[in-house]
Amino acid sequence: MTRTRLERIRASVGIAQLALQQIEDDLNAGDVDQAELAAILRELIEDTDPLGGFIASLAQLVTVAARWAEQIEPDRDGDASCPLHEAAALITDHAGMRLIWAARALDPQGEAE
């Protein structure tokens, strides 16, 4: 049986939610120190690719949706694509930068790792 695109996306979102729940559970363990918390925040931002990471990947996904919305909007007036482009920018500029600032505040020396 071939799964539909929406079914595959639902499954992928479920996997992502489980992964995020695991991170949340690790944070709730009660024995995370400030250096480790900073390292965890950096992982969300940087991952193995300085231009990548979870936050950048999420922003890229929203950008792809925005580009597709530009092509299929009924009036091509930006009612769908503009909010998506703005959301991608907010994810990167606001959420991403705030994670960086928090990580720096917790462990300024950890950036060299």
Side-chain angles (χ1 to χ4, degrees), residues 15-25 44 54:
I15 292 167
Q17 287 174 318
L18 288 173
L20 292 172
Q21 183 62 53
Q22 179 62 53
I23 294 168
E24 184 179 340
D25 291 348
L44 294 173
F54 175 78

Side-chain angles (χ1 to χ4, degrees), residues 1-54:
M1 180 172 139
T2 304
R3 295 191 313 179
T4 67
R5 177 178 295 131
L6 188 54
E7 288 171 331
R8 290 190 308 272
I9 289 170
R10 282 185 185 134
S12 296
V13 167
I15 292 167
Q17 287 174 318
L18 288 173
L20 292 172
Q21 183 62 53
Q22 179 62 53
I23 294 168
E24 184 179 340
D25 291 348
D26 286 338
L27 287 171
N28 281 324
D31 61 349
V32 177
D33 65 16
Q34 67 187 52
E36 187 176 22
L37 179 55
I40 291 167
L41 296 175
R42 286 186 182 100
E43 284 298 315
L44 294 173
I45 303 160
E46 298 167 358
D47 199 12
T48 57
D49 175 4
L51 300 175
F54 175 78

